[in-house]
Amino acid sequence: MSSCVHSRTRNSHKHWTTFRGPNHFHRRYPKVKVRLVGLNSLAVAESVLSGEIEAGLIVLPVAEAGLQVRPLFRDEVFYVSATRSPTRGPVTIEELTESKLVLYDAFAGWQDPTRRQVLERARLKGLKIDPAIEVEHVDTALGLAATGAVDTFVPQATTKAPGFPKNLRAVPFAEPLYDTIALIQREGAYLSPATRKMAQTAARTLLARVTPEQDVQRSLPS
């Protein structure tokens, strides 16, 4: 039995909520095990490397050794706050390190791709980031930020999704920060026909919802 996994990452999970392919796909390939899960990108990459799953949808960067990586699109990350006015301009890394933050993906911690990027920027300036609160889910972080007690940062897709708190304002970073969404498989591994078809469907679904400037690779999995 083949196994195909696409991770519903926090950057693209709102896109995936409208993806109705699994039902149709399962009827067409009843012997293929399909799993749509919400693991962090780090865990998905490890599962692909171990051979537990054939393919996955992740956020870069992750350790790419042993992986075939196909970038699809990028999504800008924004600082979100109920109290900081956008009229103050973009958020610098210095301001971020001084802010009271709630960060999500607590299990992955600083191995999370987005958090790693932010941490590296802070370290280059000799600064550190010490969140006041860490939670697992982005919706929990947004709920806490909406109280005005803490701020956070999320991808643009999240700020445009239904349910995003109306009192939160999104501000870009002074040095723009991006998540890159990619499809991965184990290097040299053969994708089963069903998994390849699923990957193509997923890529088309996601790319149909991004702007041309977000699209970093037009080609679909072969």
Side-chain angles (χ1 to χ4, degrees):
M1 179 180 292
S2 297
S3 180
C4 175
V5 173
H6 294 283
S7 170
R8 186 182 298 173
T9 68
R10 68 172 186 272
N11 300 280
S12 57
H13 77 282
K14 298 300 181 182
H15 295 297
W16 276 99
T17 58
T18 60
F19 176 47
R20 303 184 183 278
N23 231 2
H24 171 74
F25 188 87
H26 182 65
R27 287 197 300 269
R28 187 172 181 181
Y29 303 100
K31 294 185 178 181
V32 177
K33 182 180 179 181
V34 178
R35 297 168 61 201
L36 295 178
V37 296
L39 298 176
N40 182 272
S41 296
L42 179 66
V44 174
E46 291 174 348
S47 294
V48 171
L49 276 172
S50 70
E52 178 186 356
I53 59 178
E54 290 186 58
L57 180 68
I58 66 165
V59 177
L60 299 176
V62 298
E64 297 185 14
L67 293 174
Q68 181 178 325
V69 180
R70 298 172 183 264
L72 295 175
F73 68 94
R74 67 180 190 173
D75 196 10
E76 187 170 2
V77 177
F78 285 80
Y79 184 93
V80 295
S81 172
T83 58
R84 187 195 186 279
S85 173
T87 60
R88 291 172 53 189
V91 175
T92 64
I93 191 64
E94 289 83 1
E95 180 182 351
L96 178 68
T97 60
E98 294 172 358
S99 300
K100 191 173 183 180
L101 298 172
V102 54
L103 299 184
Y104 45 97
D105 277 325
F107 182 78
W110 292 108
Q111 294 301 310
D112 169 73
T114 309
R115 290 175 63 165
R116 279 177 58 191
Q117 290 190 76
V118 172
L119 182 63
E120 288 170 6
R121 289 187 178 188
R123 284 176 171 171
L124 286 174
K125 295 288 185 73
L127 304 170
K128 66 177 183 178
I129 299 173
D130 186 20
I133 305 172
E134 293 190 69
V135 297
E136 193 58 40
H137 301 292
V138 64
D139 288 342
T140 305
L142 291 174
L144 290 169
T147 68
V150 285
D151 298 337
T152 191
F153 47 84
V154 298
Q156 187 176 39
T158 299
T159 69
K160 294 183 176 181
F164 183 76
K166 294 182 179 180
N167 68 319
L168 289 180
R169 293 178 286 271
V171 183
F173 285 95
E175 181 184 349
L177 178 67
Y178 295 94
D179 281 336
T180 299
I181 315 304
L183 279 167
I184 60 169
Q185 67 183 77
R186 192 165 45 166
E187 199 169 56
Y190 172 76
L191 287 185
S192 64
T195 297
R196 187 180 302 111
K197 183 65 176 178
M198 187 72 162
Q200 290 173 337
T201 302
R204 289 193 183 97
T205 300
L206 290 168
L207 290 174
R209 295 175 176 272
V210 302
T211 61
E213 56 269 22
Q214 288 179 297
D215 188 351
V216 296
Q217 181 171 305
R218 296 283 184 178
S219 60
L220 297 176
S222 58

